[in-house]
Each structure stands twice: as structure tokens, then as C-alpha cells.
Amino acid sequence: MPERRLSEIAQTLKQPTGIVGSEFVKVRKAAGAAGIHYDLWQQGLLYLLLARRADGKYACGEGGTVVSSCRQIGKTFTVGTAMFMLAILHPGLKVIWTAHHTRTSDETFADMCDLARNKLLSRYVERIRRANGQQEITFRGGGRIMFGARENGFGRGLHSVDVEIFDEAQILTVRALDNMLPVVNTSPDPLVVFLGNPPKPGDPSEVFEGKRAAALAGTDGMVYVELAADRDADIDDREQWAKANPSYPKRTSETAILRMRNLMTDDSFRREALGVWDAVSSHAAIDPKRWADTAVDEPDRDGLVGYALDMPPDRSSLAIGGAIRHGDGTMHVELREFRATQSAGTMWAVDYITEHWPRTASVAIDAQSPAAALLPDLRSRGVRVTVTNAQDMGRACGMFQDMLRDRKLTHLPDSRQPALAMAVANATTRNIGTGGAIGWNRTGGDIDISPLVAITLAMFGVRVTKRDPNRRQEVMI
């Protein structure tokens, strides 16, 4: 079977604009001298991964490179050998290679150690450290490739890293990404690579799904490669096997694939052997027509006022949601404030709530929200905060859906609150417990739903509060 280019076999291929050249030319030359040769599809992938813009920076430096494929395709060999060459070509380069499981990390480290024993390449290796949790290859030029498992906390505390490889990216959690991504912030020209397979049901795949969604939406500044069979393909079609796995049958034998075919369910085989993502059946949590129909330009602002604060997992923004409960039980919600924390910090929100507290019926913050870090400051200012839990969140989201359906909820037009509109349009639901309760969820790692969470909790707080700052007090002298 003749070799095919990456563009000929990729189910989806997205590349950044502004490419003027690629460092792969030097990498291929160095690898070739050591007896390492890349197939055409591997050459295409590495060309894009190492592509440069006119300013000399990596073209995918903003969004990274994402590869989704089936297993046993050779992506670890492809990227691993390229990183080895880069560490030789760039003295002082620091690379971290992290997988979710220790077993995967150990296997990758072992493969790279085999590479270090190459007669030509061994002269560039200073030493190999094999201690558990501190596995690394150090090069004579000062470069290092470090290996570790995210499940063991690898990567925390590291700094000044130039390249991050996230293996098993389909089980890369938002928390793990938040912990590890800042280590490349000080690099003048960082590279971030995500290697994964289509996630199984139940995998914590929010990051990987978010990167895929961003690529399919046309986000620039990133490379996205999806190698997969056609979605409606006959799963026993050998041509589809070759389309999904370009190493078949040259390096991945028919016996190896047949073993998976015989031992796996059809759905598992599509994911694991053919690289096909499960059909996305999730739908918007909030009906767009109902949301549009309940928008008002001049809302009724008489009633009890409540606020709530929320932040996304990466703490990049802070939202203050507001809700007004009217005497007839209806409500009006607004996004009162929404600011980026990098430029504005968070204390402005404490000042805002403190200023409005005398005329406020309730202030709510979820116990699991990053905004809970503001609780001590708010309490020191005399603000009594309702701290909600998962059960409260389920009740709040259910109340929101019911009131929207019954047209007992109003809000400002989307044009006046674009951040809230974006959150509403991109929110899905997640199960809370086993009793049917739901909470808001993000469609991708780049979506910020904190404005929606804030107004939802503001509604809940003002519904359950017993505080009424508008009540007249009878004073007996």
C-alpha cells in the first residue's frame, strides 16, 4: 500500500495561519543521520508542530498542537523522537512529558532510553536518571526531558519549561491542566502538545473535547489533527483500518487489530482502533427560544435583591450575578459585574458587595467555586454569605429551568450582556447525584459559564433568604 500524506488521510486537519517555514527541516536531517526515518504523515505532523511564523515564533504557540487518533499508531514515537532531536539542537531546552497513568509514563521513558542508546545519539546524552517520580534524560548541552504521571502530582513546582507534552490527553482534567500549564509561561517560545484517543464515556475529557471544539470552530493559532475512519464506515473494512491507522499493515499487523476487534464491543472498537469519536448528543441546557422570549428592555426592579459570585476553574474572571424577587414570585436576573481577574484582581467584588449589602437580601457563593476564597474578606466586612452545596446547586438549576419555562423569569437582551449570552448559549447539563438533579456544565474548556452560575445562585439565594432589608422596623421607646 503506497504511503499517503497527512492531508490525504486526516479526517480533520486544522493548521494555523502565517506559516513561513518549519524547524522540522533540521529535525529530519538530525534524525536521518541517526537512522530514524518518518513516514509521510509523520513528516506532515512534525512540520506543522514545528512550523514558524514570520516573527520566528512557533505558529501553534498560542493554541498548541492536538492529535486525536486510535491506539498503536506511532504518535509517541513521532513526537518523542522529535523532542529528542530538539533537546540536542537547542542547548538548555526543557521538556516535560506527562501521562495520566504511571504505566504509560514509564513506557514512554523506557522507549526514550532505548533511543539514548543509539550509537550516534548517545554521545549527546549526559546521564539518565531512573528514580521513580524523577525520571529524566539530561543532555550534554544542558537540555532535559522529564517524565512523570499526573496521577502522582508530577509537574507541580516546575518552572521555566519550554515544551509540555500531555499524553493520554483524553483523561487530562481541568485541574491538572491548570496546575501544569503555567510552567511554560516564562518560556519565550513555548510548545504545548496534546496526544490522545477519542474519550470513553465517563472519561474526564473536558480539556480534550474543548480543544477539539475550538479547532472545529476555526480557532487560529493551533494545530489539530484527527486521524479516524469515516463515522459511518463498515468497521471490518480494511481500507478504513488503514485510513484510521497509517501504520497498518506495515507496523501494526492485521492480527493486532483483529485481536481488538474480537475482544471489544463495536463502540469500543470504533474509538480504540478506528479513532472515531462518539456522536455528540448533548444539547443546549437552556432553550434559546425561551431565553429570547423572556428578554426585557425595561425590567421591574422593585423587590428583594440578591447577589452571587462565581469564578471559572482557571480563576481568569469573576462574575457577580444579581436577582430581584418580586412580590408575585416572579424574578428578574442580570449579570451585574464581570471582569478579568488578571487585570482587575478580585477585591473590587468585595468592595461592590460591601457597598450594596445594606440594601441586599442575600449573597451566595458555592462552596466548590474558586470564588469561595473571598468568603473571609466578605465576612470581615460584615456581609452574611449563604454558602451553597451540590444539592443547593441542583435545586437552583431546576428552579431556573422551571421559571424560564413558565415565563416567570426575565433578563436583559443578549446585546446588553454578551458574557451572559455566551454562557447561556454554550451551557450543557451534568448530573448531580442519582436523584435526577442537574447542574450547569461547559461545552468545552474554553467556555466560561460563571455568569450563568452567578445569576442562578443569586436567584436561589434571594428565594430562600429570610433577610428583608426593606422591612420597616417597629421601635418601642
Side-chain angles (χ1 to χ4, degrees):
M1 184 176 295
E3 279 194 54
R4 290 177 291 176
R5 299 179 182 275
L6 180 66
S7 58
E8 295 174 321
I9 61 173
Q11 190 68 239
T12 305
L13 178 60
K14 303 289 185 180
Q15 62 186 61
T17 58
I19 294 176
V20 298
S22 176
E23 197 173 6
F24 174 62
V25 176
K26 295 180 180 178
V27 168
R28 178 173 57 183
K29 183 178 180 180
I36 299 170
H37 301 284
Y38 299 110
D39 293 344
L40 285 179
W41 76 269
Q42 294 170 319
Q43 295 178 35
L45 170 60
L46 293 178
Y47 183 92
L48 292 177
L49 168 61
L50 302 175
R52 299 279 188 178
R53 302 189 308 243
D55 62 3
K57 303 293 186 182
Y58 286 117
C60 66
E62 297 174 2
T65 290
V66 184
V67 181
S68 171
S69 71
C70 62
R71 297 185 183 277
Q72 299 180 340
I73 195 174
K75 57 181 179 286
T76 301
F77 166 83
T78 306
V79 177
T81 53
M83 293 303 109
F84 202 99
M85 300 305 147
L86 282 182
I88 294 174
L89 294 170
H90 293 279
L93 186 79
K94 290 184 181 179
V95 181
I96 61 173
W97 191 297
T98 167
H100 179 72
H101 297 296
T102 302
R103 181 185 67 255
T104 305
S105 175
D106 288 346
E107 290 176 355
T108 303
F109 175 64
D111 290 342
M112 298 286 266
C113 288
D114 288 341
L115 191 62
R117 285 191 284 269
N118 179 287
K119 290 184 178 180
L120 179 64
L121 299 179
S122 61
R123 71 182 70 173
Y124 298 100
V125 176
E126 178 71 28
R127 66 187 179 93
I128 297 176
R129 187 171 186 175
R130 302 178 183 274
N132 289 337
Q134 298 179 343
Q135 298 168 321
E136 67 177 58
I137 299 173
T138 303
F139 295 81
R140 296 190 186 280
R144 298 162 63 193
I145 305 179
M146 296 163 278
F147 304 83
R150 296 188 292 271
E151 65 180 353
N152 295 334
F154 172 76
R156 298 178 185 177
L158 295 176
H159 58 86
S160 301
V161 171
D162 302 294
V163 183
E164 275 190 299
I165 313 293
F166 291 101
D167 204 351
E168 297 181 314
Q170 75 276 9
I171 42 179
L172 170 64
T173 64
V174 173
R175 181 182 295 273
L177 182 66
D178 290 346
N179 287 336
M180 299 189 65
L181 201 55
V183 303
V184 297
N185 283 345
T186 58
S187 175
D189 193 19
L191 268 181
V192 182
V193 183
F194 302 86
L195 306 175
N197 314 117
K200 302 186 297 292
D203 281 345
S205 56
E206 186 177 3
V207 171
F208 204 49
E209 290 178 355
K211 300 300 290 185
R212 182 175 189 256
L216 297 180
T219 301
D220 197 7
M222 67 181 297
V223 174
Y224 181 78
V225 178
E226 185 171 317
L227 297 174
D230 297 333
R231 178 170 294 281
D232 58 352
D234 176 358
I235 60 177
D236 293 315
D237 185 345
R238 268 52 173 180
E239 289 187 7
Q240 290 291 330
W241 291 8
K243 183 175 183 179
N245 189 338
S247 71
Y248 165 81
K250 183 178 179 181
R251 282 183 293 275
T252 301
S253 67
E254 180 164 330
T255 300
I257 297 181
L258 282 173
R259 185 181 301 111
M260 289 191 286
R261 180 72 182 96
N262 293 330
L263 297 177
M264 291 179 170
T265 65
D266 288 355
D267 287 342
S268 295
F269 184 77
R270 286 189 182 92
R271 286 190 298 267
E272 304 292 331
L274 300 183
V276 178
W277 284 64
D278 290 346
V280 178
S281 59
S282 61
H283 59 278
I286 299 172
D287 187 295
K289 186 177 186 305
R290 288 177 178 172
W291 180 253
D293 289 345
T294 51
V296 293
D297 288 304
E298 299 296 333
D300 179 3
R301 298 189 182 278
D302 291 331
L304 288 180
V305 177
Y307 297 102
L309 292 79
D310 191 53
M311 300 173 72
D314 63 3
R315 310 175 70 89
S316 60
S317 62
L318 177 55
I320 298 180
I324 302 173
R325 190 182 85 190
H326 305 128
D328 60 358
T330 61
M331 288 204 194
H332 173 75
V333 292
E334 291 182 12
L335 179 61
R336 300 307 298 269
E337 293 286 342
F338 182 69
R339 302 183 191 179
T341 55
Q342 184 174 4
S343 57
T346 59
M347 288 308 297
W348 62 267
V350 176
D351 295 336
Y352 181 98
I353 295 297
T354 302
E355 179 184 350
H356 290 78
W357 174 244
R359 301 174 302 280
T360 299
S362 65
V363 175
I365 298 177
D366 189 79
Q368 299 301 315
S369 171
L374 300 178
L375 285 170
D377 293 306
L378 289 167
R379 287 166 175 164
S380 71
R381 302 279 190 95
V383 178
R384 296 199 296 271
V385 181
T386 300
V387 180
T388 60
N389 55 31
Q391 184 180 8
D392 296 328
M393 182 64 75
R395 294 168 58 194
C397 293
M399 181 180 69
F400 185 101
Q401 295 279 42
D402 292 344
M403 295 190 71
L404 185 66
R405 178 199 62 212
D406 298 338
R407 302 180 67 88
K408 294 182 177 181
L409 177 68
T410 62
H411 58 91
L412 296 176
D414 287 349
S415 59
R416 294 171 62 180
Q417 299 192 119
L420 178 58
M422 181 68 70
V424 168
N426 289 281
T428 58
T429 59
R430 58 183 173 85
N431 294 329
I432 297 178
T434 58
I438 56 101
W440 306 134
N441 198 19
R442 303 184 294 174
T443 54
D446 298 328
I447 300 299
D448 187 350
I449 62 170
S450 62
L452 175 59
V453 174
I455 65 167
T456 304
L457 287 181
M459 287 179 57
F460 177 79
V462 80
R463 168 65 69 87
V464 301
T465 186
K466 296 181 180 180
R467 172 182 162 88
D468 184 357
N470 302 324
R471 183 185 298 119
R472 291 186 176 182
Q473 300 294 326
E474 297 292 337
V475 180
M476 180 178 295
I477 301 179

